[in-house]
Amino acid sequence: MKTADFKVISHRQIADHIFQLILTGEEAANMTEPGQFVHVQIPGKTAPLLRRPLSIADAEPAAKQCTLIYRAEGPGTKQLAAAGEGDVVNLLGPLGNGFTSAPEQDGKAVLIGGGIGVPPLYYLAKRFAASGIALDIYLGFRTKGEVFLQKAFADLGQTTITTEDGSFGEKGYVTDQIKALRGNETFYACGPRPMLRAVQEAAESKAYLSLEERMACGVGACLSCVCESARSVNSPYVKICSDGPVFNSAEVKI
Amino acid sequence: MKTADFKVISHRQIADHIFQLILTGEEAANMTEPGQFVHVQIPGKTAPLLRRPLSIADAEPAAKQCTLIYRAEGPGTKQLAAAGEGDVVNLLGPLGNGFTSAPEQDGKAVLIGGGIGVPPLYYLAKRFAASGIALDIYLGFRTKGEVFLQKAFADLGQTTITTEDGSFGEKGYVTDQIKALRGNETFYACGPRPMLRAVQEAAESKAYLSLEERMACGVGACLSCVCESARSVNSPYVKICSDGPVFNSAEVKI
Amino acid sequence: MTDLTVNLPGMAMDNPVMTASGCFGFGKEYSQFYDLNTLGAITVKAVTAEPRSGNPPPRTAETNSGMLNAIGLQNPGMNKAVAADLPFLEDYDLPVLVNVAGNQQDDYVNVVDHLSRQAKLSAFELNISCPNVSCGGLQFGSDPESAYKLTKAVKNTTEHPIYVKLSPNVTDITEIARAVEEGGADGLSMINTVLGMKIDLQSSRPLLGNERGGLSGPAIKPIAVRMIYDVSQAVSIPIIGMGGVASADDVIELMLAGASAVAVGTANFADPYACPRIIGDLPARMHELGWKSAQDLTGRSWNHCKSPLSTLR
Amino acid sequence: MTDLTVNLPGMAMDNPVMTASGCFGFGKEYSQFYDLNTLGAITVKAVTAEPRSGNPPPRTAETNSGMLNAIGLQNPGMNKAVAADLPFLEDYDLPVLVNVAGNQQDDYVNVVDHLSRQAKLSAFELNISCPNVSCGGLQFGSDPESAYKLTKAVKNTTEHPIYVKLSPNVTDITEIARAVEEGGADGLSMINTVLGMKIDLQSSRPLLGNERGGLSGPAIKPIAVRMIYDVSQAVSIPIIGMGGVASADDVIELMLAGASAVAVGTANFADPYACPRIIGDLPARMHELGWKSAQDLTGRSWNHCKSPLSTLR
Ligand SMILES: Cc1cc2nc3c(=O)[nH]c(=O)nc-3n(C[C@H](O)[C@H](O)[C@H](O)COP(=O)(O)OP(=O)(O)OC[C@H]3O[C@@H](n4cnc5c(N)ncnc54)[C@H](O)[C@@H]3O)c2cc1C
Ligand SMILES: Cc1cc2nc3c(=O)[nH]c(=O)nc-3n(C[C@H](O)[C@H](O)[C@H](O)COP(=O)(O)OP(=O)(O)OC[C@H]3O[C@@H](n4cnc5c(N)ncnc54)[C@H](O)[C@@H]3O)c2cc1C
Ligand SMILES: Cc1cc2nc3c(=O)[nH]c(=O)nc-3n(C[C@H](O)[C@H](O)[C@H](O)COP(=O)(O)O)c2cc1C
Ligand SMILES: Cc1cc2nc3c(=O)[nH]c(=O)nc-3n(C[C@H](O)[C@H](O)[C@H](O)COP(=O)(O)O)c2cc1C
Ligand code: FES
Ligand code: FES
C-alpha cells in the first residue's frame, strides 16, 4: 500500500455541487476492484488535518487513470474543488474491499444508488456490463439539478432515476422502486443509511452494501470508522475502511 | 484606517531568501510617510492566524503602487513568496508613525540599515534625496548573496555596504563604520536590536530608530508589541505598532 | 425576520456578538474601522487597582490555528482608566463590560467599588483566570472556595451585575462554576486562554518573555464548546461564550453548546472587521439552519424540548 | 554524525521517535507502508482485561488543526491481544510499549500481570487519562492519591518498567506526576488528549456518538510543550512527549521542553509515512541547529548548563 501523487487531467462540475475529477498516476494500475476507495489529501497551501475518503467512481488501470465524483460540501471538499488541471492530488489507496461477488448464474444485478453513493456503482456497472451481466439500475437524487451520470448508466443497463421532489424521473425514493422486486436479484447498494436499511429489509436474496463513516487513518489502525457487526460476539464492530466499505448485508447492523 | 485588497504587479527574488513584491491598490494613495508598515494577510487556501508586519519599502501614492521587500524565513513569509502576478494580497495599513523628522537645516541624514531593516530606508532615502538632503547610507548584510538594493541606494547618496564575512563591500558590521562620525548628522536606522543599540550609543545628535516586535493586532489594541519606554513612569512601555515603529532614540530602552 | 437580540443581566444586546477582553483595548482603535454600535456589547481590557506594566516582550507567538499571549495585564490602573479610557465609550449606545483583575480579594473589591461609583458601565467581568500573572488571578479560578468568597465580596460591593470569567486550566470547571453561582454571580464568561508554551528552536529557549502564555484562537474552540456544554447544564446563570470564534457558525456552535452571548477575541487581529462581519452573516446562517431567534439557540445541543419555545422550528 | 539514540527504562531506542497509543493499532496496518524497525519504538492500542466494544460512531471529527476522537478503548481484551495481536511484533527488533487501561486498580494489575507473563514486551504504559470512558481511566489521572496507589500496585506486579500516561485535563499536572513518581513509575507519557467537543450545526447535537471527545493534533502542541516543560522540572524520571508532533522540528521542540523521547499519533493518519519521514529529517535539522546528540536536547529549554554534556555545542 502506498500514498502517491496523481495529476489532475480534468476537473469539472457535472451537477449542483457535484464535481468529477479525473486523475492520472501510476497507482491507478492497482484500482481494479469496484467499490474500493481512496483517501484524498486535500491540496492547498495548508492542508486540512485529515484526508477525505472518496470512492473510486471509475478507473482505467491500463491507462493509469481514475475518476472521483464528489459533492463539494464541507471545507475540505470545497477546497478540493479548487484544484485545477495539472495540479497534484495525493491519494492513499486503493483501500478497503469492494464489490467482489458477482450475481449468481443467470441472476440479475440490481444496483441502487442514492445521491453521492452513486459514483462507486458506475465502475461496478461498467464491469458487470462488460461481463454480460444483466443490470437493473436505480438511482435516487433529491432534485433534478443534482442528477448526474444518468446517461452513462443508461448505456450500461436499464436505468430508473427518482427524485424526491419529482423534478426528474420518478417522484419519491429509490427504495420505493425496488419493493416490487422479488426474485434471483443480487443487490448492490451505496447511499444514505435509511436507503441502505430499506435495501437490507427489501432484499430477500443477497445484498452488498457500501457503508460510510467518518475516518481518520483509512487503513484499519485507529478504529474510527466502525459499524455494528451482525455476527461477531467478541468484537461487536467491523471497520468500514478495512473490513468494508462493502459488506454483505447480513454482516452489518445499520 | 482600512483593510484593502492589493493586486500583485510583480514578485521576484532579489537576493538569497529576499523577495520584492510590488502591489497596486487604492489604499497606496495613503502611503505617504516613509517608515510606516502594512500588516499583511498571507494569501493561500488557509491563511495563518495572524497577519505579518512588513515595512513599506517604496510607494508611489499617485500611481497607487507600493513595494514590500521581505525575507522568506518562517512559514508565513514562505507562503507569501508563492503569491504570483495577479494574485490578491490583503493589507491593513498604512500603520504606525514613520520617519517624520528631517535633519536640521544643513544637516546630513545618515541612514543605517541592517539586513531586513534596509527596506523602509529606501523610501526614506528617495524622499530625502528628492528634497535635496545630503545622504550617507550604510547598509549591513551577512554575506554577499544577501545584499540587495545597493544600486538603488547608490543612486540616491553616498552608499557603503558591509558584510559580516567580507564577501562584499567592507568587512564587519555597519556600526563599525559610523563610530567615526561626530557632527550634525541625524541618524535614521532600522535593523537588528544590537545594531540599533550601537546606533543609540554612537549617536550624539539625534537618532530615529525603527523597531520590530512580534505583533498581533497591529493597531494598538492588544499590547503585544511593546518596547520599554525611556521616559514614561506610569506606563513603562510604548507600543511599537501605534506609537512607533519609528521612535526618537531618546524615547526607548532597547 | 431573524431576531438577534439577547438579554443578559445588565446587558440588553442587539445581537449576541461582543468583544473579548484584552483583544479590543478600550474600543478606540477599532472605532477607526467601524461604528462600535454595531456590536452587541464591548468588553474592555482588564483593569487593576494600580497601573501594571505587564510582561517583557516577546508577548505573542503564533501556533497552529492559535496564538499564545503573555501580555500580563498591562493596564493604566483604575484611575487612569476612569479618567482617560472609559469615557470614550460613553459616546456609544452599547453595553460595556469591564474586566477586572487583581492579586487578592481586596483588589477586586477596590476596583469594582471605585469603578461602580466613577464610571459608566453595564457590568463587571471578574478575571479570575489570567494565566499570565504570577500571583492572584488564576488561583481564584482553580479553587472553588476562594472563587466563591471573591464573588460574594464583590457582589456586596456593587449594584452592577457580576460575570465571573473562568479558567479552562482546571480539572473540573463545573465545580468552580457552581461555586461562583452560589457566591451570587449573575453570569459566567468562559473560557479564558489555555496555558501553553512555545520554544524557539534557534535559541532553544521559551519564545515568550514570560515563558508560558495563554493559548487562544480556533485551536481551543473544541475545548470551549465542551466546557460551555458541561457548565451550562450545571448552573442556571447565563454564559458568555468565547474561544476561537471567527465566524457566524462558531457563534451558533457556542450558543447551541449553552452560551447566551458570544465574545470574539483573537479573530479581531487578523480581521479588524471580524465582529461586524460575523454579525452581518448571522441572520442568513441562522435562517438556513432553521432558527428564528438567537435566544432559541442557547443550550439546544442538550436541551431539545426546552419550553416554552419562543418560536417553533 | 548525529547520534539519534536515546535510552529509556526498558527501551533502548535507535532514535527518539515512537508511535502513540491508539494511533497505530498493533503495528500491522502500518507495516504495509514501511519496515517498522525504522521506528524508535512502538506503542500499541490500549489493552483491557475484557474485550471492549468502545463508543458508538461517529467517533472522530476534525477541528482546526486538530481532531476529536471518542474511540472509547475498543480492543479485543488481553487474551486475544496476547494470542492474536502482540505476536505480530515479535518479528521486529524494536521496543514495544503496551498501553493498559481499566476501570479500577485491579483491572490494571490483572492486565499487567497477565501480559508480563504471556507476552513479549518492553514496558507498560498505564493509561490513566482516557477521556472517552465513563468510569476509570481519567479519574486516576486527576487524583494524585489514586494515581500513586495504582502505580505502586502495578509496580509490585511486574518486573517491566512502568510509564504512566498523564491527562492534561487537570489543574496541576505536576502534582499527579510527582505522585506517580513516588509510586515508583519509571517514566511518564504525556499528554493524552484534551477534552473537547464539536456540535453538528445541522442536527444541533454533539457530533460524536459519545458527545465529548479527546482533542489531538497540532492544536494541542503548545499545551503539551508547557506541561512537559513544567513536569520535567518537577520529576527526575524520563518523559515520553506527545501532542501534535508532525515534523522533526516538533520532536526537537518537545525534547527541548523536557521529553526524552517523542511519540507521534494523529500525524500518522494524514501521512502514513509520518514517522519514517520525521526520523529521516531529524539528523539534518539537528545539525542545522547545532545539536550532535538527541540525548542532549532533553530539557535544554530550562537546563542550560546540565553537566556532564555528552557533547559540547
Ligand atoms: C468509503 C467512503 C467513500 C466515500 N465516497 C464518496 C464519494 O465518492 N463521493 C462523495 O462525495 N463523498 C464520498 N464519501 C463521503 C465523503 O468522504 C465526505 O463527504 C467528505 O469526507 C466530507 O468532507 P468535507 O471536507 O466536505 O467536510 P468536512 O466537514 O470538512 O469534514 C470534516 C471531517 O468529517 C468527515 N466527514 C464529513 N462528512 C462525512 C461523510 N459523509 N462520510 C465520511 N466522512 C465524513 C471528513 O472526512 C472529515 O474528516 C465517502 C465516504 C466514505 C467513508
Ligand atoms: C514594523 C515591522 C516592520 C517589518 N518590516 C519587515 C520588512 O520590511 N521585511 C521583512 O522581511 N521583515 C520585516 N519585519 C519582520 C517580519 O514581520 C517577520 O520577519 C515576519 O513576520 C516573520 O513571519 P514568518 O511567517 O516568516 O515567520 P513565522 O515563524 O511564521 O512567524 C510567526 C509569528 O511570529 C512573528 N514574527 C516572527 N519573526 C518576527 C520578527 N522578526 N518581527 C516581528 N514579528 C515576527 C510573525 O509576525 C508571526 O506572528 C518587520 C517587522 C515589524 C514589526
Ligand atoms: C492578547 C490577548 C489579551 C487578553 N487579555 C485578557 C484580559 O486582559 N482579561 C481577560 O479576562 N482575558 C484576556 N484575554 C482572553 C480573551 O478575552 C479570551 O478569553 C480568549 O482569548 C479566548 O477567546 P479567543 O479565542 O476568541 O481569543 C486575552 C486574550 C488575548 C489573545
Ligand atoms: C484515534 C486515537 C486513539 C487513541 N487511543 C489511545 C489509547 O488507546 N490509549 C492512550 O493512552 N492514548 C490514546 N490516544 C492518545 C494518543 O496516544 C496521544 O496521547 C494523543 O493523541 C496526542 O498525540 P497526537 O497529537 O500526536 O495524536 C489516542 C488518540 C487518538 C487520536
Ligand atoms: S479510519 Fe481508522 S480504522 Fe477505519
Ligand atoms: S500589535 Fe497589538 S498593540 Fe501592537
Side-chain angles (χ1 to χ4, degrees), chain A residues 215-225 239 241:
Chain A
M215 296 186 172
C217 71
V219 299
C222 74
L223 306 178
S224 290
C225 65
K239 293 185 270 192
C241 68

Side-chain angles (χ1 to χ4, degrees), chain D residues 2-184:
Chain D
T2 311
D3 176 9
L4 290 187
T5 60
V6 295
N7 277 294
L8 283 84
M11 305 197 292
M13 295 165 60
D14 291 344
N15 68 69
V17 180
M18 58 200 291
T19 63
S21 177
C23 303
F24 210 75
F26 288 84
K28 205 167 205 162
E29 291 80 9
Y30 287 97
S31 73
Q32 300 168 278
F33 293 98
Y34 58 88
D35 179 359
L36 299 185
N37 283 328
T38 320
L39 297 168
I42 185 170
T43 314
V44 301
K45 177 76 189 160
V47 176
T48 55
E50 303 301 319
R52 291 266 192 116
S53 54
N55 293 320
R59 291 179 168 186
T60 38
E62 189 165 303
T63 67
N64 290 282
S65 298
M67 67 176 274
L68 292 164
N69 90 78
I71 308 296
L73 299 183
Q74 177 183 337
N75 84 94
M78 62 185 178
N79 287 319
K80 179 133 183 288
V82 166
D85 296 314
L86 288 168
F88 171 77
L89 290 169
E90 288 176 18
D91 293 345
Y92 294 92
D93 179 28
L94 88 171
V96 174
L97 186 59
V98 176
N99 189 273
V100 172
N103 294 340
Q104 51 213 26
Q105 189 170 305
D106 285 354
D107 295 340
Y108 289 87
V109 171
N110 277 346
V111 177
V112 167
D113 181 44
H114 184 80
L115 293 181
S116 293
R117 288 185 282 117
Q118 309 281 328
K120 205 178 145 242
L121 55 85
S122 312
F124 289 103
E125 179 176 65
L126 304 187
N127 180 358
I128 60 166
S129 44
C130 181
N132 296 322
V133 289
S134 51
C135 71
L138 190 50
Q139 97 213 10
F140 291 106
S142 55
D143 173 30
E145 181 67 18
S146 25
Y148 165 81
K149 280 192 192 146
L150 175 70
T151 310
K152 201 159 173 143
V154 172
K155 272 304 280 182
N156 286 336
T157 310
T158 182
E159 303 276 282
H160 286 296
I162 298 295
Y163 293 78
V164 180
K165 183 148 178 188
L166 304 184
S167 166
N169 305 296
V170 295
T171 307
D172 182 2
I173 192 169
T174 62
E175 198 185 0
I176 315 279
R178 270 189 291 248
V180 303
E181 181 180 40
E182 213 176 304

Side-chain angles (χ1 to χ4, degrees), chain B residues 1-3 39 41 48-52 92 213-217 219-227 234-237 239, chain C residues 22 24-25 29-30 32-33 45 51 53-60 62 65-67 71 74 207 218 266 269-270 272-273:
Chain B
M1 214 185 300
K2 268 201 193 176
T3 58
H39 217 18
Q41 187 148 58
L49 193 75
L50 299 173
R51 289 171 179 261
R52 298 292 186 267
L92 163 58
E213 190 47 81
R214 288 177 183 248
M215 295 185 173
C217 70
V219 299
C222 73
L223 305 177
S224 291
C225 65
V226 298
C227 172
N234 254 3
S235 136
Y237 287 114
K239 292 184 272 192
Chain C
F24 210 75
E29 291 81 8
Y30 287 97
Q32 298 168 280
F33 293 97
K45 177 79 189 157
S53 53
N55 292 320
R59 290 178 168 184
T60 38
E62 189 165 302
S65 299
M67 67 175 275
I71 309 296
Q74 176 182 339
L207 195 149
T266 303
F269 304 152
Y273 300 97

